[in-house]
């Protein structure tokens, strides 16, 4: 008897959850997993299994790729703020009639003593800063620094994986690093640079959460940029285990 061909799963990755999901599925002979990375990080952490790097050319290009490579299920496990590719994935999956799941880690929740201000955009965060402090720890990624480039009175400590490109704030120091970070290290960073305000996105990652605890202990206000919602109608899983369970149920 001839066994059924393996079902092709495309994971839109670049996150810890995407790598864990690819690892969890790697030993399943009924599945063929491809992970796709955008290619924006110079030296990405590669998942196990087959990997493609680069864009698709919008929703139409992604739909074409899904069709040509006979993808049976699509899992969007990109960063919670990668709303453009999430929108493209929703359109492409609908066009090709491929089931789609969004894998999104839970967002951060404030606790006692936190001084958080939620905002909807980088531009809104920038508008608040002149009233909050002069020394800013900015951990929103290298791609959005243009929103703060007009602030000439504030000094920025910017942490990113790769070096940012202009336009950037004129008074800025850059730290090239990636998580996980420790509470002790984050507390020392805030002290050493005399940080007065933390600006970050609600990525929800455990690896980068210690900065929030350190800010709470130091009494430093946090400007937290809200994440965009998943595209309408797309089911959401919060863990790789939930995503794997959805996948096996969907591909029955």
């Amino acid at each position: 008897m001839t066994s059924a061909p393996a079902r092709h799963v495309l994971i839109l990755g670049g996150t810890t959850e995407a790598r864990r999901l690819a690892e969890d599925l790697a030993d399943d002979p009924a599945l063929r997993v491809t992970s796709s990375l955008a290619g924006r990080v110079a030296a990405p952490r590669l998942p196990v299994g087959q990997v493609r790097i680069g864009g698709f050319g919008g929703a139409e290009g992604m739909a074409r790729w899904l069709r040509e490579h006979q993808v049976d299920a699509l899992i969007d496990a990109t960063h919670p703020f990668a709303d453009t590719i999430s929108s493209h994935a929703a359109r492409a999956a609908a066009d090709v009639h491929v089931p789609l799941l969004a894998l999104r880690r839970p967002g951060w929740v404030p606790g006692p003593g936190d001084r958080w201000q939620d905002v909807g955009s980088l531009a809104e965060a920038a508008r608040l800063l002149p009233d909050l402090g002069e020394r800013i720890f900015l951990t929103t990624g290298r791609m959005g620094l243009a929103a703060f480039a007009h602030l000439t009175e504030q000094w920025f400590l910017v942490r990113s994986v790769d070096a940012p490109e202009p336009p950037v704030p004129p008074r800025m120091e850059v730290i090239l690093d990636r998580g996980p970070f420790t509470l002790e290290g984050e507390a020392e960073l805030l002290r050493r640079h005399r940080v007065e305000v933390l600006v970050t996105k609600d990525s929800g990652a455990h690896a980068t959460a210690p900065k929030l605890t350190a800010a709470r202990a130091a009494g430093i206000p946090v400007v937290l940029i809200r994440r965009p919602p998943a595209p309408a109608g797309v089911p959401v899983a919060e863990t790789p285990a939930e995503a794997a369970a959805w996948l096996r149920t969907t591909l029955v």
Side-chain angles (χ1 to χ4, degrees), residues 128-136 153-156 196-197 221:
L128 291 179
L129 292 183
D131 295 327
L132 293 178
E134 294 184 355
R135 300 183 66 82
I136 318 298
E153 300 299 321
Q154 281 69 34
W155 176 88
F156 290 87
E196 298 172 357
V197 187

Side-chain angles (χ1 to χ4, degrees), residues 76-210:
D76 173 15
T78 56
H79 192 277
F81 283 82
D83 52 333
T84 298
I85 192 169
S86 294
S87 176
H88 290 170
R91 288 169 52 196
D95 288 348
V96 185
H97 304 292
V98 168
L100 167 65
L101 175 77
L103 174 54
R104 296 285 185 271
R105 65 179 81 113
W108 287 317
V109 177
D114 282 321
R115 299 171 58 195
W116 292 7
Q117 293 194 49
D118 288 357
V119 296
S121 67
L122 293 171
E124 189 178 346
R127 286 194 293 271
L128 291 179
L129 292 183
D131 295 327
L132 293 178
E134 294 184 355
R135 300 183 66 82
I136 318 298
F137 184 22
L138 194 60
T139 65
T140 56
R142 67 186 178 93
M143 304 299 290
L145 296 185
F148 305 91
H150 65 287
L151 296 175
T152 59
E153 300 299 321
Q154 281 69 34
W155 176 88
F156 290 87
L157 176 65
V158 174
R159 182 167 66 195
S160 62
V161 176
D162 294 321
E165 298 178 357
V168 297
R171 302 177 62 208
M172 179 182 75
E173 180 177 334
V174 177
I175 299 175
L176 299 182
D177 201 359
R178 76 169 93 203
F181 301 106
T182 66
L183 176 58
E184 294 77 10
E186 298 291 67
E188 172 58 25
L189 194 70
L190 298 181
R191 284 194 298 269
R192 185 168 71 251
H193 293 280
R194 295 177 286 118
V195 169
E196 298 172 357
V197 187
L198 168 64
V199 181
T200 191
K201 293 180 176 179
D202 183 16
S203 65
H206 293 297
T208 56

